[in-house]
Amino acid sequence: MSAIFEITREDSRARRLIRRVFWKYIWPMRWKFLIALVCMGAVSGTTGLSAWLMQPAIDGIFAQQRRDLVLPIAMAICGVFVVKGLATFFVGIIMNDIARRSVARIQGELFRKLMDADLARLHKSTSGAMIAHLTNDVGLMQGMVSSGVTALGKDATSLVFLVGVMLILDPELFLIAGLAFPLAVLPIILIGRFTRRYTRRQQNAIAGLMSRLTQVFQSVRHVKAYNAEERETARAYDMIWNLARISQKQARVSASAHPLMETLAGLAIAGVIAYGGYQVIDGVRTPGTFMAYITAVILAYEPLKRLAGINVMLQNGLMGAERVFATLDNEPAINDKPGAIALGRVEGRIRFQNVHFAYGPDIPALRGVDFEVRPGERIAFVGPSGAGKSTALNLIPRFYDPDLGAVLIDGHDLRDVTMHSLRDNLALVSQEVVLFDDTIRENIRYARPNASEEDVLKAAKAAAAHDFIADMPEGYDTRVGEQGVRLSGGQRQRISIARAMLKDAPVLLLDEATSALDTQSERLVQEALRTLMKGRTTVVIAHRLSTVVDCDRIFVFNEGRIVETGAHGALIAENNLYARLWRMQTSDDPEAVLDEPRAVAGE
């Protein structure tokens, strides 16, 4: 009973998906689709007509030897095949155009949806899975719309026309030949359902493989550094062969329709020959009628066999559509509320009001954080790993929303303003420098795509990046490679700072901006950062405390709470957690600091 319920539910879901694809993506191009349907009807009609013409050809020309019928019937047959060829041509190009436009629209909507998704959801997925959505799943839908719908339209209507020809020519013979038709329907439906199941497994395997390959290629330095080439190759082989096994099972299910359909076709044709042959010999039927009927039966079983393959294609497409629409229907948890206001350029006053946040029921990150940053003030978040520093920073650009409390900018709750206008007022420089495989110019200009050449040069000079850029063979037209692999760490970071300079936002967020740099590069980057911080509200996250000693105030986090606040000198004098962290970083014997008594505030 549960199996029947599951089948019924899957059929209902499939019908909803088909209606959605049709009304949302095909119906807007209904005039093209209507022309394609007319052409499909022409293909089907000429297929039936070609079978019917066998009767006058055999009886009139060969049996009665009528010379007057030779030329008209020959011309008619020629005309039928010309019309069929032209109609097939137009069906192909029109349906491919409909599919191409539909897929482009779906991919655009899907990419936009992924870009609008909040970080929490994106972090639950992988880049490989998202790429699989945009390529494989949408590709399955394209096959369904172009080839599947086209073949379904041509073959189904051809079958109708040919059945009509058989009924007109000989209703008795139709009862023999048509007996196999309903027997073929159930296997086609069952094969389609099994195909959808294997397609789901296949797409999951493809997404997993793409995700792993993406990670390996992005981390190839570490793979080689740890001599992991063989391990990664073995893992890739396992995933590839698992995908191959699933694909083979799907192919086996799809191919199982062919022997069944061939057997049914053979039985039907044999029955017609046995019954009709005796009637021709007895003079009950003419050879022309019999040959026309045999031709119709043979032509009818061809589209019927193809319909089994088409059903497989449709099931694959429905599987892709199901995954695509699941993503499209997923609303981001963080979005603009109705009536959200657009901020102008802010002064940069930031306020945390009793903020609580957790990544999950058992993963609290912030507990009652409360502070205010004045416009133009430079503050720092410091503390042990996992203390909540990065979480607090990520709430400012509204990558996440607090569970309790509020974060305000210039007195506005961040949930009451548009995210676009909020982020227009923020510039982010992090330790994970993101550069695209483009020119240095376009990577700097990413902050302001319409910036002039003069503005780009000015930003690069302010970031102490102009000199090394000018020394490159192609200057600002130098391509940096994926993630900027052709540049040093310091060069990448200075380009990132130039990007922030170009944006000229009133609020600056620095997330471990110099933690991965050598001493010389850090000095150059620090000089660039000091230029960038002038006149801006700046929030700095730093593990290296020497980089925040000049900040106006330092907020010390521990276990999701702010346990100390003050300038560097005052915090050292208080001799609590910050002073202990400072001694650990500056002492010649950090182990001795670790052994100190833990009479430290907040610990």
Side-chain angles (χ1 to χ4, degrees):
M1 192 72 179
S2 61
I4 295 174
F5 176 74
E6 181 63 26
I7 289 172
T8 304
R9 186 169 62 182
E10 282 200 11
D11 287 344
S12 176
R13 187 187 303 128
R15 287 192 293 271
R16 288 197 303 270
L17 288 170
I18 290 171
R19 285 197 297 268
R20 184 169 180 180
V21 170
F22 179 80
W23 289 110
K24 186 169 184 181
Y25 299 107
I26 297 178
W27 183 247
M29 294 176 280
R30 52 190 171 274
W31 295 113
K32 287 185 178 182
F33 188 64
L34 181 60
I35 294 171
L37 286 178
V38 171
C39 292
M40 289 179 200
V43 172
S44 305
T46 52
T47 301
L49 189 57
S50 64
W52 183 81
L53 283 172
M54 293 300 295
Q55 190 268 330
I58 298 296
D59 288 342
I61 298 174
F62 297 104
Q64 301 173 15
Q65 297 186 352
R66 291 179 55 184
R67 300 176 65 90
D68 61 308
L69 292 179
V70 174
L71 191 58
I73 290 177
M75 292 180 65
I77 291 174
C78 182
V80 163
F81 280 93
V82 168
V83 171
K84 183 178 180 179
L86 289 172
T88 302
F89 169 76
F90 284 113
V91 167
I93 61 171
I94 292 171
M95 289 306 299
N96 274 323
D97 183 58
I98 290 174
R100 177 179 57 81
R101 292 175 182 272
S102 299
V103 164
R105 183 179 169 192
I106 292 168
Q107 285 180 317
E109 291 177 0
L110 189 58
F111 187 79
R112 178 60 183 267
K113 194 72 176 184
L114 291 171
M115 288 296 96
D116 288 342
D118 47 87
L119 284 183
R121 179 171 180 272
L122 290 174
H123 288 165
K124 290 178 182 177
S125 187
T126 63
S127 57
M130 288 185 277
I131 292 170
H133 275 326
L134 282 163
T135 54
N136 297 318
D137 290 339
V138 178
L140 290 175
M141 293 181 68
Q142 181 175 10
M144 179 180 70
V145 174
S146 60
S147 303
V149 173
T150 301
L152 184 64
K154 287 194 301 182
D155 290 331
T157 51
S158 293
L159 194 58
V160 170
F161 274 96
L162 290 166
V163 167
V165 169
M166 286 188 279
L167 279 170
I168 293 171
L169 288 172
D170 198 319
E172 290 182 19
L173 284 177
F174 175 74
L175 292 177
I176 298 173
L179 185 63
F181 287 142
L183 297 177
V185 173
L186 183 59
I188 291 175
I189 294 173
L190 291 176
I191 288 168
R193 287 174 182 151
F194 278 111
T195 298
R196 196 189 313 174
R197 185 178 305 169
Y198 280 116
T199 300
R200 183 182 288 112
R201 292 174 59 186
Q202 184 184 46
Q203 291 304 103
N204 289 335
I206 289 172
L209 177 61
M210 293 182 69
S211 177
R212 188 66 197 177
L213 294 179
T214 301
Q215 292 176 52
V216 169
F217 290 140
Q218 288 179 345
S219 309
V220 68
R221 286 179 68 237
H222 291 78
V223 171
K224 291 183 176 297
Y226 288 96
N227 290 321
E229 294 95 334
E230 290 300 323
R231 278 179 283 154
E232 291 299 342
T233 301
R235 184 179 298 185
Y237 263 107
D238 288 342
M239 298 179 77
I240 289 167
W241 281 109
N242 179 55
L243 175 59
R245 283 191 293 269
I246 295 171
S247 300
Q248 179 61 22
K249 289 179 181 178
Q250 185 195 41
R252 193 180 302 138
V253 170
S254 302
S256 63
H258 295 293
L260 178 63
M261 298 301 296
E262 293 292 346
T263 301
L264 290 173
L267 289 172
I269 294 170
V272 170
I273 290 174
Y275 181 76
Y278 284 120
Q279 290 198 322
V280 171
I281 293 171
D282 295 338
V284 178
R285 286 177 175 78
T286 66
T289 302
F290 178 70
M291 286 302 299
Y293 200 87
I294 287 291
T295 302
V297 171
I298 293 172
L299 290 176
Y301 269 93
E302 284 304 313
L304 189 60
K305 286 187 290 184
R306 286 196 296 269
L307 283 173
I310 293 164
N311 187 45
V312 170
M313 187 181 296
L314 289 174
Q315 296 301 328
N316 287 341
L318 289 173
M319 187 64 254
E322 185 177 320
R323 291 162 62 95
V324 167
F325 288 140
T327 300
L328 290 177
D329 293 340
N330 193 300
E331 290 299 323
I334 299 175
N335 49 29
D336 289 339
K337 64 188 290 187
I341 64 171
L343 292 171
R345 188 175 178 86
V346 300
E347 292 182 359
R349 184 179 300 277
I350 299 170
R351 174 89 168 105
F352 276 57
Q353 291 183 335
N354 193 31
V355 170
H356 292 255
F357 179 82
Y359 291 103
D362 301 320
I363 318 174
L366 296 177
R367 314 179 193 201
V369 172
D370 201 294
F371 65 88
E372 182 172 332
V373 184
R374 296 179 291 273
E377 188 177 16
R378 284 188 286 177
I379 68 159
F381 296 160
V382 302
S385 296
K389 308 181 296 296
S390 295
T391 301
L393 185 91
N394 284 332
L395 294 179
I396 298 172
R398 214 183 157 204
F399 294 152
Y400 302 94
D401 277 340
D403 299 327
L404 292 172
V407 181
L408 294 83
I409 187 164
D410 283 12
H412 299 286
D413 190 320
L414 299 189
R415 291 166 290 200
D416 295 332
V417 304
T418 63
M419 287 189 290
H420 190 278
S421 66
L422 167 66
R423 293 168 185 172
D424 261 350
N425 282 282
L426 308 174
L428 173 65
V429 180
S430 79
Q431 61 177 328
E432 298 172 359
V433 179
V434 176
L435 297 181
F436 298 94
D437 186 13
D438 207 334
T439 64
I440 291 175
R441 176 185 292 101
E442 292 308 314
N443 271 285
I444 295 174
R445 196 178 271 161
Y446 196 77
R448 238 174 67 207
N450 58 349
S452 67
E453 184 72 11
E454 182 182 353
D455 290 337
V456 171
L457 293 176
K458 183 178 178 182
K461 289 175 181 177
H466 176 73
D467 289 344
F468 82 78
I469 296 172
D471 288 340
M472 291 187 168
E474 297 179 74
Y476 284 82
D477 292 319
T478 302
R479 297 188 72 90
V480 301
E482 187 176 6
Q483 295 296 330
V485 294
R486 297 172 189 164
L487 304 176
S488 70
Q491 289 172 336
R492 289 196 296 269
Q493 193 63 280
R494 278 178 279 169
I495 290 175
S496 176
I497 293 169
R499 181 190 293 163
M501 290 275 194
L502 187 65
K503 188 171 185 181
D504 191 29
V507 177
L508 177 62
L509 308 177
L510 302 178
D511 185 3
E512 296 285 353
T514 62
S515 64
L517 301 178
D518 58 75
T519 304
Q520 182 178 359
S521 296
E522 182 183 3
R523 181 180 59 79
L524 293 170
V525 169
Q526 285 288 6
E527 291 175 2
L529 286 175
R530 276 192 283 273
T531 303
L532 178 59
M533 287 187 285
K534 288 178 182 176
R536 307 176 202 277
T537 302
T538 304
V539 180
V540 182
I541 289 181
H543 279 106
R544 197 178 300 174
L545 301 184
S546 59
T547 62
V548 299
V549 294
D550 293 331
C551 287
D552 299 315
R553 281 187 297 164
I554 298 169
F555 296 88
V556 185
F557 282 74
N558 193 33
E559 296 182 352
R561 296 183 175 90
I562 296 177
V563 295
E564 295 178 69
T565 305
H568 171 74
L571 293 175
I572 293 295
E574 289 178 7
N575 196 29
N576 288 320
L577 177 58
Y578 179 84
R580 184 165 177 264
L581 294 172
W582 175 262
R583 288 197 299 275
M584 287 177 63
Q585 292 188 10
T586 57
S587 172
D588 293 332
D589 188 6
E591 295 295 330
V593 180
L594 282 172
D595 293 335
E596 291 177 0
R598 297 267 180 132
V600 178
E603 289 198 270

